[in-house]
Amino acid sequence: MAATTHTVSNQPPPLVGYDVYGGDRALSEGVARHLASADPELLGEVGRELTLLGTAAGSAQAQGWGVQANEYPPRLRTHDRYGNRVDEVEFHPAWHRLLGHAVTSGLTDAWGRPAGHLRRAAGFFVWSQAEAGHGCPVSMTHAAVPALRTDPELAAEWEPRLTSHVYEEGLRPAGQKAGVLFGMGMTEKQGGSDVRANTTAAVPLDASGEYLLTGHKWFCSAPMCDGFLVLAQAPGGLTCFLVPRVLPDGTRNAFAIQRLKDKLGNRSNASSEVEFDGTWARRVGEEGRGVRTIIEMVAATRLDCVIGSASLMRQALTQAVHHAEHRSAFGAVLLDQPLMRNVLADLALESEAATTLTLRLAAAYDAGTDQERAFLRLAVPVAKYWVTKRCTPMVAEALECLGGNGYVEDSGMPRLLRESPLNSIWEGSGNVQALDVLRALQREPQALNAFLQEVGLARGADHRLDAAVKDLLTDLADLEGIEARARRVVERMALVLQGSLLVRWAPPQVADAFCASRLGGDWGAAFGTLPHSLDLRAVVERARIAGR
Ligand SMILES: Cc1cc2nc3c(=O)[nH]c(=O)nc-3n(C[C@H](O)[C@H](O)[C@H](O)COP(=O)(O)OP(=O)(O)OC[C@H]3O[C@@H](n4cnc5c(N)ncnc54)[C@H](O)[C@@H]3O)c2cc1C
């Protein structure tokens, strides 16, 4: 009777073979909304591109690559068999498949294409649901473009390779590659947030912008990239440099990888400690303007932190809903049980608010007007603070929806949970974002104007939103202890912004539940505490994979 004991029942089927893009109503409707006034041909083209990517991301093959790339993490090889330094990192083939698919799908190419940021943001959101770790070099490569544009000569040389849809693994002179990847080196042992404490020294070789660097970087992710934007102290102060791994003559630049970090999550990706010793570098921008130059890159990677967290949240929600649709307990399917529905609806609100905000930011990049730039100046650090901060508790709660299965690696949920705090740390941790918001509020009045104009577009549509905006204005006018209160202020800004977007664009049941809980205060400290009078069934129904 062994067969009887091995009968498997009441377990969900594997969640594969679905379209991550088309199945996500909040995402696909959002993309269509932002492209509503675009040429219909463009809308069709973007839709086809994202459907292809979404179908690939939800395939058993890509999900399998995600598992393998994390089960077989990268390995550092410092020397070859003869004792020569090589400083190479070996990755499982699955890593290269994931990265290759990202690059060939245009995920490093936003800056020149029509609706480039929107389609790339949606694509990054979708493809990260196959695996999140490889998004790191994808993000840094995409983000290096605006920093390099401060030097037209360098941009002309490198931009076509950075935005290329060709993936070529392996270290060779960049001139021999059709596509390259970039990383960044800012953080040192004695200071990460405070980059002005950097001690890496840059000595000019001549007046042509070439320098030699000596020093170290405490975190340098994806060290197999072809080039890095690095901060170092030049005679004129902190300066941005381009450091290639391989010099044009084919010899290796001095780039000694000391070790790889043993990280909580993000295990498919290599994050290294590097030492520079007479490392050749080319200056980017003026001496002493390093932060100004590299901040162009950091602003773009901060948006990617928001996209990455929104993507993790959607993936966790999809898993939770899928489990609850197929699992019964106490005689009923979990999805139909009122308390589970409350939990799932609450998670769905958090996910849709993050998705909608993400797309709005990407569309603002595409618009590129002064008004949108002013809006982004505040909205990006606000979103980076809040969406990345919400990610970990949200993913943890989604994991619990799978019960004990969620705690087991096979479910994929532990990987999502380990990944989730990261976007809140790199590219400026929570406090650093909150302080950046204060800086913008104090020094750039046009940013607050643009932010309030955006929120004001929903004025009068929901009394709880109107009251929350009024409270926020009172909060902003009170400067006493503002630094210690910064997190609370930024949280409020994020919630009114998310609330205003949902009131304008989401189905009424979603907007109503968001405003009642996040703005109206009728909510507990844990997920699953929404007022029972709301239409939670409609909220959960919307979160299910469409067309499945
Ligand atoms: C997996 C991973 C990969 C990374 N990859 C890279 C990379 O490729 N390149 C790179 O350059 N860096 C990289 N980093 C480094 C990352 O950007 C830094 O860790 C981050 O910016 C924080 O810097 P820190 O670690 O020095 O912390 P610190 O600057 O020491 O900050 C510690 C804490 O203090 C808070 N804090 C700082 N200043 C203030 C203040 N004035 N008031 C209140 N609180 C404050 C911070 O918010 C943080 O919570 C990576 C980090 C991780 C985890």
Side-chain angles (χ1 to χ4, degrees):
M1 308 283 61
T4 316
T5 62
H6 282 84
T7 303
V8 178
S9 65
N10 199 21
Q11 291 279 354
L15 178 52
V16 288
Y18 72 105
D19 173 6
V20 172
Y21 173 68
D24 183 343
R25 293 180 179 87
L27 178 69
S28 52
E29 287 173 17
V31 168
R33 177 187 321 117
H34 286 295
L35 289 178
S37 58
D39 169 4
E41 241 177 73
L42 177 64
L43 182 59
E45 181 187 314
V46 172
R48 282 190 297 280
E49 180 180 296
L50 291 171
T51 303
L52 268 179
L53 200 53
T55 308
S59 69
Q61 185 182 49
Q63 294 291 328
W65 292 340
V67 172
Q68 288 174 325
N70 284 275
E71 266 182 13
Y72 304 98
R75 282 192 351 191
L76 173 63
R77 225 159 49 84
T78 51
H79 297 79
D80 69 10
R81 58 186 283 204
Y82 305 106
N84 301 302
R85 274 209 87 111
V86 289
D87 298 291
E88 296 214 2
V89 180
E90 291 169 350
F91 291 87
H92 189 273
W95 164 268
H96 293 295
R97 301 248 154 75
L98 289 161
L99 195 48
H101 200 90
V103 172
T104 53
S105 303
L107 297 188
T108 60
D109 180 18
W111 303 97
R113 292 201 291 167
H117 289 280
L118 183 74
R119 69 210 284 182
R120 179 192 171 275
F124 193 68
F125 182 104
V126 160
W127 188 242
S128 298
Q129 291 183 52
E131 204 279 325
H134 77 284
C136 172
V138 173
S139 172
M140 294 191 290
T141 302
H142 148 72
V145 170
L148 283 173
R149 282 183 179 174
T150 53
D151 184 324
E153 199 185 311
L154 277 182
E157 181 186 348
W158 288 91
E159 196 172 321
R161 298 174 192 147
L162 289 165
T163 55
S164 151
H165 294 212
V166 178
Y167 175 62
E168 284 191 29
E169 61 175 279
L171 295 179
R172 284 188 299 289
Q176 295 175 15
K177 294 179 83 170
V180 299
L181 296 174
F182 258 45
M184 67 162 95
M186 296 191 290
T187 310
E188 297 187 359
K189 295 185 189 73
Q190 72 285 352
S193 311
D194 185 6
V195 288
R196 289 184 194 279
N198 274 192
T199 57
T200 296
V203 177
L205 276 175
D206 51 34
S208 68
E210 296 182 24
Y211 291 67
L212 292 182
L213 307 189
T214 305
H216 72 279
K217 292 294 162 186
W218 183 232
F219 277 95
C220 182
S221 288
M224 285 300 284
C225 285
D226 300 277
F228 296 81
L229 292 186
V230 166
L231 287 181
Q233 301 286 358
L238 195 64
T239 304
C240 180
F241 294 94
L242 192 165
V243 173
R245 283 287 326 253
V246 182
L247 298 170
D249 66 5
T251 57
R252 297 278 169 100
N253 205 356
F255 193 96
I257 304 177
Q258 304 298 357
R259 57 176 173 161
L260 300 186
K261 304 282 195 189
D262 184 5
K263 298 175 287 184
L264 168 68
N266 196 251
R267 297 186 76 83
S268 65
N269 182 26
S271 298
S272 66
E273 296 163 19
V274 179
E275 288 194 8
F276 301 136
D277 185 5
T279 301
W280 184 90
R282 168 76 154 75
R283 194 184 68 235
V284 186
E286 292 168 33
E287 273 194 14
R289 305 271 296 164
V291 172
R292 190 81 322 274
T293 305
I294 212 162
I295 204 75
E296 299 286 341
M297 180 176 191
V298 172
T301 51
R302 283 182 180 168
L303 174 61
D304 278 9
C305 292
V306 180
I307 305 171
S309 290
S311 163
L312 278 172
M313 286 154 92
R314 172 64 195 175
Q315 172 70 358
L317 171 69
T318 307
Q319 296 280 0
V321 172
H322 175 76
H323 187 87
E325 310 180 285
H326 292 95
R327 178 85 169 174
S328 296
F330 302 101
V333 174
L334 285 174
L335 192 77
D336 295 330
Q337 305 205 27
L339 189 50
M340 180 55 98
R341 193 181 300 136
N342 196 328
V343 174
L344 293 172
D346 218 352
L347 298 177
L349 292 180
E350 205 62 45
S351 171
E352 179 149 0
T355 303
T356 307
L357 177 53
T358 297
L359 295 179
R360 175 66 186 88
L361 298 180
Y365 268 92
D366 282 327
T369 60
D370 288 349
Q371 170 79 9
E372 290 291 68
R373 268 199 293 275
F375 168 66
L376 286 169
R377 174 64 190 92
L378 265 177
V380 169
V382 164
K384 160 75 162 87
Y385 172 76
W386 186 241
V387 174
T388 65
K389 197 60 71 199
R390 294 301 289 156
C391 187
T392 306
M394 195 256 166
V395 172
E397 193 65 61
L399 180 154
E400 189 174 323
C401 292
L402 277 72
N405 284 2
Y407 202 71
V408 174
E409 287 292 339
D410 288 349
S411 73
M413 299 304 281
R415 171 151 64 92
L416 296 186
L417 184 59
R418 285 193 298 268
E419 191 72 22
S420 37
L422 181 53
N423 284 318
S424 180
I425 297 172
W426 60 12
E427 309 307 329
S429 314
N431 288 354
V432 170
Q433 298 309 307
L435 295 173
D436 189 41
V437 169
L438 288 194
R439 222 175 359 259
L441 287 172
Q442 281 155 6
R443 297 187 196 160
E444 300 175 55
Q446 72 282 11
L448 181 59
N449 284 342
F451 184 89
L452 292 176
Q453 276 177 31
E454 177 74 17
V455 170
L457 293 173
R459 188 180 303 130
D462 186 287
H463 65 96
R464 296 153 301 195
L465 174 61
D466 290 347
V469 174
K470 215 166 136 223
D471 288 349
L472 171 65
L473 291 175
T474 312
D475 226 9
L476 290 174
D478 174 12
L479 294 182
E480 186 165 342
I482 188 81
E483 188 168 331
R485 289 193 287 118
R487 278 186 177 222
R488 188 72 184 106
V489 170
V490 177
E491 177 178 327
R492 286 202 155 134
M493 292 178 75
L495 290 173
V496 297
L497 180 56
Q498 288 185 320
S500 71
L501 298 177
L502 293 179
V503 162
R504 285 163 64 196
W505 294 328
Q509 299 89 339
V510 172
D512 184 31
F514 187 90
C515 290
S517 52
R518 275 74 172 163
L519 301 175
D522 196 356
W523 198 34
F527 285 102
T529 52
L530 295 169
H532 69 90
S533 54
L534 296 167
D535 189 351
L536 304 184
R537 191 182 292 275
V539 176
V540 175
E541 189 51 40
R542 178 170 171 77
R544 292 173 81 169
I545 298 171
R548 199 171 150 91

